[in-house]
């Protein structure tokens, strides 16, 4: 298939399409000069956004592929221990660029690659059951933390390290690869002290923007995903977006539409609904990106703004039987993003059968591909008819090149939205507070003030429990 660019379609946010919930000429006119000014400012700032430099690091990709091939030949299981931005990108690449039941396939059908596990949680049942199913001698563990100190990751690492050591003794060090800041943090220090293999997350790239660093690329390359195609897709999208006219930059246009819905229509629930199982975890990755980047108490001038849309994931056609009733008839408080795939990697025809029963006969001889597309367009049409706005992003196919385009589109959209809200899209002070309270509750030295603060809080009163 010749390579194309993703298509972005905002037909169904026009007032002509969805009536009162649409963006009309007056909405665009009122925002015109602000959008132009912010766009110019964003173009000037763009080269300082760390994630925009990542697709150009070809030398790093070669080195990662070489390391990944070596690791893949040494193990049957590759386990990523990380959380949030240190896990979700790798999960999204795993499920979009591999067949759905990759881990259940025989090794030969997986390109002679190991299985991949990314628990992304500290649930004791999850972790103990995962370890119980794996042979430590045939497992490599990739410990990922930008800060090098996140409690969940440190705790899971301790559990997994002890499990490895019990099985292979001092050779546990050969079963661990660290991915962290080049200089700072406990993981970097440990890697130096114990001679562990260690990869670098560039200091100017935060967790949720790190999918195109070794955080996402190493696990992907271990599975044999073509990470150079992924980076090429991201680079092509970076170059597609930009230029002097904001109306021609699809990532900015999508950021602007979402922003205008928030500030002019008070519509701030953003539902992303791919019609492809393989993109379900991309929507999950985006949910974190959008929420953590834009949910902020103060703007860049220090004024309290408490801004931020609420991202929601849904999956077509599954959630037509779970959420769509609410979407079509409930409150007009949502803007939908459909993700469409032109061509799936397989065509599954629906065989003829029970032809005298009309519940079956109309389906016979058609395909699941056609049915899924029909359901997507039917849902979009039903929403438009009910006056609910949506945009659509279309991928020619799901492969590393188009996934690279999609991830970069969404990262750029998020950074642009940060400019529109005039907030810092790259920090997460609200997450840090929870981390500090966790350290305090777990008795970490240096957190006495947080422990005292927690003691003074009444989070659970006996007279409020029934
Ligand atoms: O986007 C972010 O910065 C966060 O979601 C982090 O990825 C998450 O908190 C994990 O942090 P770390 O990679 O330092 O363990």
């Amino acid at each position: 298939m010749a390579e194309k660019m993703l298509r972005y379609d905002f037909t169904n946010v026009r007032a002509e399409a969805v009536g009162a919930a649409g963006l009309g000429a007056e909405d665009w006119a009122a925002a015109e000069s602000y959008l132009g000014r912010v766009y110019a400012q964003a173009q000037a700032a763009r080269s300082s956004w760390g994630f925009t430099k990542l697709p150009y690091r070809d030398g790093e990709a070669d080195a990662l592929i070489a390391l990944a091939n070596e690791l893949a030949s040494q193990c049957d299981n590759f386990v990523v221990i990380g959380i949030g931005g240190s896990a979700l990108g790798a999960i999204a690449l795993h499920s979009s660029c591999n067949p759905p039941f990759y881990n259940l396939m025989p090794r030969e059908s997986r390109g002679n690659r190991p299985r991949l596990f990314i628990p992304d949680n500290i649930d004791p049942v999850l972790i103990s059951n995962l370890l119980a199913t794996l042979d430590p001698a045939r497992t490599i563990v990739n410990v990922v933390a930008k800060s090098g100190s996140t409690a969940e990751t440190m705790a899971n690492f301790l559990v997994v390290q002890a499990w490895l050591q019990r099985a292979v003794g001092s050779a546990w060090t050969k079963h661990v690869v660290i991915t962290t800041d080049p200089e700072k943090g406990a993981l970097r220090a440990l890697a130096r002290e114990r001679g562990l293999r260690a990869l670098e997350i560039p200091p100017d790239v935060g967790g949720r923007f790190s999918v195109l660093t070794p955080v996402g690329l190493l696990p992907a390359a271990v599975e044999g995903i073509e990470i150079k195609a992924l980076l090429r897709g991201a680079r092509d999208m970076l170059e597609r977006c930009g230029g002097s006219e904001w109306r021609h930059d699809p990532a900015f246009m999508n950021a602007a539409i979402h922003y205008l819905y928030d500030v002019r229509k008070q519509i701030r629930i953003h539902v992303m609904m791919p019609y492809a199982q393989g993109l379900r975890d991309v929507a999950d990755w985006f949910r974190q990106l959008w929420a953590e980047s834009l949910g902020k108490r103060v703007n860049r001038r220090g004024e309290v703004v408490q801004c931020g849309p609420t991202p929601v994931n849904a999956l077509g056609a599954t959630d037509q039987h779970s959420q769509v009733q609410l979407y079509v008839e409930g409150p007009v408080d949502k803007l939908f993003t459909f993700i469409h795939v032109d061509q799936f990697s397989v065509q599954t025809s629906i065989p003829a059968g029970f032809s005298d029963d009309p519940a079956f006969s109309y389906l016979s001889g058609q395909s699941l591909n056609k049915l899924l597309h029909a359901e997507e367009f039917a849902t979009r049409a039903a929403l438009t008819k009910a006056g609910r706005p949506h945009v659509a992003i279309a991928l020619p196919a799901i492969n590393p090149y188009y996934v690279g385009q999609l991830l970069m589109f969404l990262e750029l959209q998020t950074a642009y939205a940060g400019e529109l809200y005039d907030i810092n899209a790259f920090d997460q002070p609200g997450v840090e507070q929870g981390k500090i309270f966790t350290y305090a509750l777990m008795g970490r030295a240096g957190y006495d003030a947080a422990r005292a603060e927690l003691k003074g809080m009444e989070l659970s009163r006996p007279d409020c429990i029934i």
Side-chain angles (χ1 to χ4, degrees):
M1 179 191 277
E3 285 175 347
K4 302 175 188 156
M5 294 305 293
L6 306 192
R7 305 185 305 280
Y8 171 65
D9 182 347
F10 58 94
T11 308
N12 291 283
V13 300
R14 293 169 313 127
E16 296 89 321
V18 289
L23 295 177
E26 65 294 352
D27 295 303
W28 289 109
E32 171 107 32
S33 71
Y34 182 67
L35 296 180
R37 200 169 63 245
V38 171
Y39 185 65
Q41 189 181 299
Q43 294 315 304
R46 215 175 100 150
S47 59
S48 68
W49 299 340
F51 73 91
T52 63
K53 301 172 201 161
L54 301 173
Y56 299 95
R57 292 156 53 111
D58 288 331
E60 181 186 63
D62 287 324
L64 275 177
I65 292 168
L67 172 63
N69 290 343
E70 186 194 326
L71 296 173
S73 70
Q74 292 167 356
C75 68
D76 294 330
N77 312 298
F78 193 80
V79 177
V80 177
I81 296 296
I83 199 158
S86 290
L88 294 167
I91 294 173
L93 294 179
H94 166 71
S95 47
S96 59
C97 299
N98 283 314
F101 301 105
Y102 173 89
N103 277 352
L104 298 182
M105 291 159 62
R107 187 167 175 125
E108 321 74 84
S109 311
R110 283 187 262 121
N112 203 21
R113 299 282 167 168
R115 300 183 293 174
L116 182 77
F117 299 92
I118 311 181
D120 187 27
N121 206 345
I122 44 167
D123 184 304
V125 179
L126 176 75
I127 297 302
S128 63
N129 275 268
L130 173 63
L131 299 187
T133 66
L134 305 180
D135 172 3
R138 296 292 304 161
T139 299
I140 289 181
V141 179
N142 182 201
V143 184
V144 185
K146 173 79 193 285
S147 61
S149 60
T150 303
E152 294 89 335
T153 303
M154 299 298 108
N156 273 346
F157 179 28
L158 286 169
V159 171
V160 171
Q161 188 273 340
W163 171 77
L164 285 170
Q165 193 165 20
R166 271 196 305 276
V168 300
S170 61
W172 71 267
T173 54
K174 305 270 173 278
H175 291 252
V176 171
V177 182
I178 303 287
T179 305
T180 191
D181 185 271
E183 295 296 332
K184 293 190 278 190
L187 276 182
R188 176 58 59 185
L190 186 79
R192 285 200 187 109
E193 191 186 305
R194 300 298 178 112
L196 304 176
R197 273 181 292 212
L199 300 169
E200 299 183 354
I201 309 172
D204 59 353
V205 179
R208 58 193 174 275
F209 287 90
S210 69
V211 60
L212 301 179
T213 72
V215 173
L217 296 181
L218 179 69
V222 165
E223 292 184 300
I225 293 171
E226 288 176 41
I227 61 169
K228 284 188 157 182
L230 186 77
L231 292 170
R232 193 159 44 77
R235 191 162 60 222
D236 286 354
M237 182 52 73
L238 258 178
E239 286 161 15
R240 163 72 186 83
C241 298
S244 56
E245 178 49 67
W246 63 265
R247 285 178 189 77
H248 298 162
D249 179 334
F252 186 81
M253 189 55 137
N254 205 25
I257 286 172
H258 282 78
Y259 170 75
L260 290 182
Y261 265 102
D262 181 347
V263 299
R264 290 190 67 82
K265 304 278 180 195
Q266 291 72 54
I267 286 182
R268 33 184 91 103
I269 298 176
H270 295 162
V271 180
M272 178 173 277
M273 190 164 184
Y275 269 72
Q277 192 74 27
L279 298 177
R280 188 187 61 173
D281 293 329
V282 170
D284 202 42
W285 165 84
F286 176 69
R287 186 173 67 121
Q288 187 223 8
L289 183 68
W290 200 237
E292 231 173 75
S293 301
L294 303 181
K296 296 290 150 74
R297 192 176 70 84
V298 292
N299 66 14
R300 287 193 288 213
R301 293 189 300 282
E303 296 156 352
V304 175
V305 287
Q306 292 180 333
C307 74
T310 299
V312 172
N313 305 352
L315 177 68
T318 307
D319 285 327
Q320 285 179 204
H321 302 276
S322 162
Q323 302 295 298
V324 167
Q325 170 61 33
L326 168 72
Y327 295 169
V328 173
E329 292 195 348
V332 186
D333 57 0
K334 300 173 195 69
L335 170 60
F336 301 89
T337 299
F338 286 88
I339 306 199
H340 167 87
V341 177
D342 292 338
Q343 218 177 321
F344 289 91
S345 58
V346 295
Q347 175 84 7
T348 303
S349 357
I350 305 174
F354 318 117
S355 53
D356 44 358
D357 184 338
F360 292 102
S361 58
Y362 75 100
L363 295 167
S364 299
Q366 307 222 48
S367 67
L368 294 183
N369 308 52
K370 184 176 174 192
L371 179 59
L372 189 56
H373 279 162
E375 300 220 2
E376 177 196 335
F377 290 114
T379 301
R380 290 170 57 181
L383 285 169
T384 295
K385 187 174 170 191
R388 322 287 158 132
H390 76 266
V391 297
I393 300 172
L395 276 69
I398 305 179
N399 62 30
Y401 177 70
Y402 294 122
V403 169
Q405 284 195 25
L406 180 61
L407 298 180
M408 183 52 72
F409 180 101
L410 296 170
E411 288 186 333
L412 274 175
Q413 173 190 321
T414 304
Y416 284 146
E419 297 292 309
L420 289 163
Y421 283 104
D422 191 24
I423 48 99
N424 181 350
F426 303 109
D427 68 359
Q428 53 287 324
V431 178
E432 299 308 324
Q433 182 61 73
K435 286 185 178 180
I436 289 167
F437 282 152
T438 302
Y439 295 145
L441 289 168
M442 295 298 284
R444 186 170 174 175
Y447 290 85
D448 292 343
R451 257 188 297 279
E453 191 182 346
L454 277 168
K455 267 208 186 110
M457 287 165 82
E458 269 193 318
L459 280 185
S460 181
R461 288 170 55 110
D463 58 340
C464 297
I465 301 172
I466 53 173

